Amino acid sequence: MSITNIAKASASATGQAVFDYPVHSFINGHVQAPGGGAYLDIIDPGNGAVIGSLADSSAADVEDAVQAAKEAYSDGRWSEKDPEERERILFRLADLVDRDSEILSEVEARDTGKPLAEARLDIAEAAAVLRYFAGWCTKASGTVVPAPREYFATTTREPLGVCVAITPWNYPLPILTYKVAPALAFGNTVVAKPSELASASSVLLAHLAHEAGVPAGVFNVVTGGRTAGEALTSSRDVDKIAFTGSTATGKAVLRAAAETLTPATVELGGKSAQLIFADADLEAAVEGVAAGIWTNAGQICIAGSRVLVQESIKDAFISALTERTGNLALGHSMNPGTDIGPVISEGQLTKIKAFLQEAEEAGATVQTCSTAIPQAGYFLAPTIVTGIPTGHPLASHEVFGPVLAVDTFSDEQDAITKANSTEYGLAAGLWTKDVSRVHRLTRKLEAGTVWANTYGVFHPTLPFGGMKASGFGRELGPQAVEHYTHSKTSVIHLSAS
């Protein structure tokens, strides 16, 4: 069934799109209504309107999904398929994502509030990730071990079993594919639980996977809130958990995984610094910083939410960034002129405003770069904060909104000290024409990814993950093989004839 028959969104700029059907879980190859009959409102962040309903799955619904995935793994309907067949099906899934990219983009834009142009890029990325890991179906090979001569020893890569993917609301479909694509490529089965704030595209992907030929029970999606998440992470029939979200929730996931001794990888929060040196290409740095913090209204785990600028160019940099930011238009996701959308919810908006009020009361200068804020929806003008007192949370805590904290540094050592001063270690940016400096500082920055003279570059070939309180494990790239397979050693005694 085409997903246009499951959910539709109008292309009008009014924001009054209605999801034609409630968004339900997809379990064992079919739609499943919540056993308890509970539903959550789907709210368009761009106007605060209710545009649909989402099934709030019970623990029993989650158990249905886990058991479906367990049975599908045990009987080998997917893991025992020839790798070439899994590859063909995943390539077909990527083609279907391309086929229905416009409806997926509209659903993603309305669910998250991000501009439609950004949502289109997200869907294209999801298709690219699926294609990359489709190719890995036939590439995960083992080794022959140089054991003593009376033995023949090999290692092989084998699937883990039932993999759980718990994903956030800011990039629902791309981040889901970071987990589902490698899991399926290597023969695992999956139960995914997207954020209750943006679930629709994840469910639609499961429908497309079924259309592509992924057998029933292999890829399941359960929708809902905390009850569903806790039931998944505490299940003893789960063989792997992959989580992306806040550091606080990640800790809860890890505690639950420890109780069942379930392997887990977690990609958590960030407070990433961009270091701007006096010799940098100022225009390029301004563009990179603007993209790194205003994209998706700053709701990005790798948002460059801290700028450390060399003292001698501080005023010039802030002036250029303020001018650049002032040209950006806030608006609804479906408005063609929108550059920055709303934050995800009223609660998130209230939290961000409280951060800013506390910083201003503590003596910081809070400067908004736009006054044209839509009357409806959860909008916040892009905001630059300077003069933040030492130790204030705004300089070290994740805000997850269009808020940029700016500080200065005197030299390389001062820059490194300040950049590494938070508990996070997800990403960092460097802007300088000195190649030697790039190499020196890259080694010293405590971050899983360092971009130099660019920022926020993602590609399926590039491993991504954090250090410190930003989590551990890597997604994308060849490292995914290690996280979705285990190595088995086989030893054969070569008896004399």
Side-chain angles (χ1 to χ4, degrees):
M1 178 186 293
S2 170
I3 62 172
T4 55
N5 294 325
I6 301 166
K8 294 180 180 180
S10 77
S12 70
T14 63
Q16 298 303 312
V18 177
F19 284 64
D20 289 344
Y21 306 95
V23 176
H24 285 128
S25 297
F26 189 83
I27 298 173
N28 207 18
H30 62 268
V31 171
Q32 181 166 315
Y39 287 86
L40 303 170
D41 288 338
I42 298 174
I43 297 175
D44 182 339
N47 54 26
V50 175
I51 59 172
S53 58
L54 175 75
D56 192 7
S57 299
S58 66
D61 298 325
V62 170
E63 180 65 12
D64 288 344
V66 171
Q67 292 308 312
K70 182 180 179 180
E71 181 179 347
Y73 180 74
S74 297
D75 66 21
R77 71 186 72 167
W78 183 249
S79 61
E80 294 298 322
K81 278 188 182 294
D82 286 341
E84 293 88 348
E85 179 66 4
R86 293 203 303 270
E87 179 182 60
R88 184 192 67 78
I89 291 172
L90 290 180
F91 274 127
R92 172 64 175 153
L93 175 55
D95 290 342
L96 294 177
V97 169
D98 283 340
R99 182 197 70 187
D100 292 335
S101 61
E102 193 59 21
I103 186 65
L104 285 167
S105 298
E106 291 183 8
V107 167
E108 199 85 316
R110 292 199 183 279
D111 237 356
T112 65
K114 68 178 59 182
L116 180 59
E118 288 185 20
R120 287 175 175 143
L121 295 175
D122 293 354
I123 304 309
E125 181 186 8
V129 171
L130 288 166
R131 287 195 173 90
Y132 174 77
F133 283 110
W136 266 104
C137 292
T138 56
K139 309 299 186 299
S141 58
T143 61
V144 176
V145 180
R149 298 294 292 174
E150 66 267 32
Y151 301 103
F152 180 74
T154 62
T155 64
T156 54
R157 305 301 308 193
E158 298 191 353
L160 300 174
V162 178
C163 296
V164 163
I166 301 177
T167 53
W169 46 260
N170 57 338
Y171 287 90
L173 204 63
I175 293 177
L176 179 63
T177 60
Y178 292 1
K179 299 164 176 38
V180 170
L184 294 181
F186 303 130
N188 300 283
T189 59
V190 175
V191 180
K193 209 295 282 186
S195 167
E196 64 272 26
L197 297 178
S199 296
S201 64
S202 300
V203 173
L204 298 181
L205 184 67
H207 283 270
L208 290 180
H210 188 64
E211 182 181 345
V214 175
V218 171
F219 178 22
N220 311 274
V221 176
V222 292
T223 62
R226 183 172 180 174
T227 296
E230 290 179 347
L232 263 184
T233 56
S234 62
S235 174
R236 295 188 178 276
D237 289 320
V238 166
D239 301 295
K240 151 82 177 183
I241 298 172
F243 171 82
T244 297
S246 70
T247 297
T249 305
K251 290 178 180 179
V253 168
L254 290 173
R255 284 192 292 268
E259 286 297 317
T260 57
L261 293 179
T262 304
T265 50
V266 291
E267 191 264 285
L268 308 175
K271 190 71 175 179
S272 301
Q274 296 222 51
L275 282 58
I276 319 295
F277 284 85
D279 69 338
D281 180 329
L282 187 62
E283 183 177 351
V286 166
E287 287 297 320
V289 168
I293 186 60
W294 309 140
T295 297
N296 203 25
Q299 299 168 117
I300 317 175
C301 56
I302 55 91
S305 55
R306 287 188 299 151
V307 160
L308 302 174
V309 58
Q310 200 152 23
E311 292 168 348
S312 61
I313 62 167
K314 175 191 175 184
D315 292 342
F317 174 81
I318 292 179
S319 176
L321 179 62
T322 302
E323 181 179 357
R324 173 70 181 87
T325 304
N327 295 326
L328 301 176
L330 278 69
H332 190 272
S333 61
M334 302 303 289
N335 184 336
T338 294
D339 296 306
I340 302 178
V343 297
I344 189 65
S345 67
E346 185 175 11
Q348 181 70 6
L349 180 61
T350 299
K351 177 183 174 183
I352 297 169
K353 287 182 175 179
F355 257 118
L356 294 174
Q357 182 178 344
E358 291 170 4
E360 197 164 26
E361 290 172 353
T365 299
V366 177
Q367 176 187 0
T368 56
C369 299
S370 173
T371 56
I373 301 177
Q375 293 302 304
Y378 312 127
F379 289 91
L380 182 74
T383 303
I384 298 173
V385 185
T386 57
I388 301 171
T390 301
H392 191 275
L394 191 62
S396 57
H397 291 194
E398 187 174 44
V399 176
F400 227 62
V403 176
L404 180 67
V406 179
D407 196 2
T408 61
F409 64 87
S410 56
D411 55 24
E412 287 186 11
Q413 186 54 54
D414 188 30
I416 288 294
T417 298
K418 289 180 176 179
N420 292 340
S421 64
T422 76
E423 64 175 338
Y424 297 108
L426 191 56
L430 284 172
W431 297 87
T432 177
K433 295 177 182 177
D434 187 336
V435 177
S436 295
R437 175 183 286 144
V438 169
H439 286 288
R440 285 195 304 272
L441 270 60
T442 296
R443 293 176 179 178
K444 295 179 181 179
L445 285 166
E446 296 169 353
T449 298
V450 178
W451 289 288
N453 298 320
T454 187
Y455 197 79
V457 176
F458 279 79
H459 190 269
T461 60
L462 300 174
F464 175 72
M467 302 165 57
K468 300 162 62 176
S470 292
F472 49 81
R474 292 295 180 266
E475 295 185 310
L476 305 176
Q479 281 82 347
V481 178
E482 301 172 9
H483 293 304
Y484 289 94
T485 65
H486 61 75
S487 178
K488 177 178 284 185
T489 302
S490 301
V491 183
I492 303 171
H493 182 245
L494 303 177
S495 58
S497 57

